[in-house]
Each structure stands twice: as C-alpha cells, then as structure tokens.
Amino acid sequence: MELWIPITIAAAFCQNLRSALQKHLQGSLGTRGASFVRFGYGFPLAVIYVLVLHFGVGYALPSPDLEFVFWVVLGGLAQIFATMLLVYLFSLRNFAVGTAYSKTEPVQAAIFGFIILGDKLTTGGIVAIIVGVIGVMMISMANLPLSWRNLGTAMVGRIALIGMASGGLFAIASISFRSASLSLNGPNSIMQAAVTLTCVTIFQTVFMLIWMLWKDKREIVQVVRTWRSSALVGLAGVVGSACWFTAMTLQQVAYVKALGQIELIFTFASSYFLFHERLNRMELWGCLLIVCGILGLLMS
C-alpha cells in the first residue's frame, strides 16, 4: 500500500471529527468564532511539529520564496471562507447533508480545470460530473415536493449555492497548498508539508484575529472562554491538515480528495450517533450519488 493512502484516511477521520466539534461550538461562538478555533488553537501545534522535525529528527528547514508566499495566502484565504460557509451550512441543514455538499470539491476542480486551464474531460468524466450534480439536486429537493420549479431551486437555491461555493473554495485551497509545498526546496515531502501547514495556519490566525477585532471583539472573548472545546478543534484540525498536506505533496490532489470521500462514512455515523439526526431516503441516495460521481471521475 502506498503511504499516501493511510495518511489520507487518517486526514478524513480527523476532518470529520473537527467538523463535528465545530458544529457543536457554533451555538456558543457563531460562524466566525467556530471557524477561527480551527486555526487559532492549531497553529501552536503546527509550530511544535516543525520544531520536532527540525531539532528532533534532523530535517533541514526549506527556504520559502515569493511563489510560496503567493500560494500560502491564496490557499489560506480560500480555506477560511470555505470553512465559514461550511459551518454556516450546518445551521441550515443537518451535519451529514452539509458535509455532502462540500464533497462536490473534486467535481468542481475538474470543471474549473476544463474552463480555465483547458484540461480535457473524457466521456466517463462528463458522466461522473452529471451523476454528482444529480446527487446535489436530490439533496436539495429531499424535503420538497417533486416539481420542475423545485428542481430549479435545487440547482440555484440558496443552500445549494452555499454548499457548492464551499466545495469550490476548498478545491482552490487544496490546489494552492499542494503548489506551495512543491515550491519549497525541502529535504522531503513531510518537512515541506509541515512548513506549509505552519505558515498557512499562522497567516490564517493573524487574518481572522484582525477581522474579529474589527467586526466584533466579543467573539474573541467567547473563543477564550470555550478553550477546552476549542483546543480539541485545533488539535483535530492541525493533525488532519498535516495529513492532508503530506498526502497532497506525495500524490495529486484529485486522487487524494477522491479517496478522502471516505469521510462521508464517518459523517453518517456522527450525524446518527452524536447529533441524533436522520437522513431521509432521498438525502441518503443523493449523498451516495455524489460519492459515485467523484469515484467515477477518478476512475475515468
């Protein structure tokens, strides 16, 4: 088994755990605060990770350049707003459905590549994209009567647009992080991913602190008051990010994110056992179609 496979599965598990904790915190912190704890409580652990690799294991520190800084800033901002949209989505629909919407990320990456970069799509790839879109439509219409009007709402409705925007921003973030890590002239993929993770989380922490100081200082007080739960989010977030960054340095983003859809299995379990939420039949089939579309895209 190639190393990136178990690392990706671990990343998916940690990401699901972090999202579940963020959903729990949203009631007391709000969307901005629940999103901030992922970065604010995670960056000290990321710094310690780099120091252990450097002084403990003996890996040399790479030298960042302007290209690295560009990808860190672009990816960091994309991930911040993607996370905020996802946390907000949890308040509109249940945990499993909200997560499923964000899983349109690999499909959107393929579409962006076709439109912007001129990447070729095979017939199988087009079919896979259509299957994924049908899955999103089914989720959007799960609690609505079946009609052409509701079908249009499923494609351009508020919840659908928020979910797909979150997935699109996550796709941009993933590509940016891989590009940043590969731009480093480091000793190996582990150290390159660790340095990228540390720089990204430090930038995100500073950016969001300034934002909250500007918008609402009370959110910072609430983040400090909930430090026990928030620290768990930071721990799960930084461990998951370290795994994602390492896997995406070892392997192409499309492969990593396709395997990462295993997160939906963890999500269904969390939705049922932790939040006591129930999926109706159409929501379940919609989630499964999204997974099938992503896996079909990978196979094609």
Side-chain angles (χ1 to χ4, degrees):
M1 180 186 295
E2 296 183 39
L3 182 60
W4 70 273
I5 296 176
I7 292 176
T8 300
I9 295 174
F13 176 81
C14 290
Q15 181 165 297
N16 177 74
L17 177 61
R18 187 210 70 224
S19 296
L21 291 169
Q22 282 178 308
K23 176 179 171 66
H24 175 73
L25 281 172
Q26 188 187 24
S28 56
L29 294 182
T31 300
R32 243 190 324 260
S35 302
F36 169 77
V37 295
R38 169 183 181 177
F39 316 116
Y41 283 91
F43 89 86
L45 299 174
V47 172
I48 292 172
Y49 180 41
V50 170
L51 293 177
V52 169
L53 291 177
H54 181 55
F55 294 105
V57 183
Y59 292 158
L61 288 171
S63 301
D65 55 15
L66 289 178
E67 180 185 358
F68 174 81
V69 174
F70 169 78
W71 289 118
V72 163
V73 172
L74 178 62
L77 290 175
Q79 190 178 53
I80 285 174
F81 292 109
T83 301
M84 291 184 65
L85 287 174
L86 180 60
V87 172
Y88 178 61
L89 194 61
F90 290 154
S91 67
L92 302 178
R93 294 295 293 269
N94 67 39
F95 180 64
V97 174
T99 303
Y101 268 120
S102 71
K103 293 306 158 190
T104 59
E105 173 188 348
V107 175
Q108 292 194 66
I111 296 174
F112 293 155
F114 175 73
I115 296 174
I116 299 173
L117 302 176
D119 294 340
K120 302 299 182 181
L121 287 177
T122 63
T123 302
I126 295 174
V127 171
I129 290 173
I130 293 174
V131 170
V133 171
I134 292 174
V136 173
M137 291 165 55
M138 290 181 67
I139 292 173
S140 299
M141 295 185 61
N143 298 310
L144 299 173
L146 187 60
S147 68
W148 287 109
R149 181 178 180 180
N150 289 334
L151 185 62
T153 302
M155 291 299 298
V156 296
R158 181 188 177 198
I159 294 176
L161 292 178
I162 291 173
M164 288 186 282
S166 175
L169 287 170
F170 274 126
I172 294 172
S174 297
I175 294 171
S176 299
F177 296 151
R178 173 172 167 81
S179 299
S181 184
L182 292 177
S183 72
L184 290 174
N185 186 22
N188 53 54
S189 58
I190 294 177
M191 191 60 171
Q192 290 169 222
V195 171
T196 303
L197 169 64
T198 301
C199 293
V200 168
T201 51
I202 290 176
F203 164 74
Q204 291 170 324
T205 300
V206 173
F207 178 86
M208 291 208 69
L209 272 176
I210 295 173
W211 191 7
M212 288 192 295
L213 283 171
W214 175 44
K215 285 293 187 180
D216 191 353
K217 297 181 179 66
R218 291 174 297 178
E219 280 189 304
I220 299 177
V221 176
Q222 288 298 107
V223 166
V224 174
R225 286 178 177 174
T226 59
W227 68 269
R228 290 184 178 86
S229 300
S230 297
L232 290 177
V233 174
L235 176 61
V238 77
V239 172
S241 294
C243 292
W244 283 124
F245 281 39
T246 303
M248 289 187 294
T249 304
L250 292 169
Q251 183 57 269
Q252 296 180 41
V253 174
Y255 290 98
V256 173
K257 290 299 183 177
L259 177 59
Q261 304 316 310
I262 194 174
E263 181 192 352
L264 280 177
I265 297 176
F266 306 136
T267 298
F268 290 146
S270 299
S271 182
Y272 184 85
F273 292 108
L274 296 181
F275 303 114
H276 307 292
E277 298 171 341
R278 300 294 183 269
L279 290 176
N280 64 37
R281 185 172 298 178
M282 187 172 289
E283 286 173 332
L284 180 58
W285 278 109
C287 292
L288 292 177
L289 280 177
I290 291 174
V291 174
C292 290
I294 292 167
L295 294 179
L297 183 63
L298 173 60
M299 294 175 62
S300 66

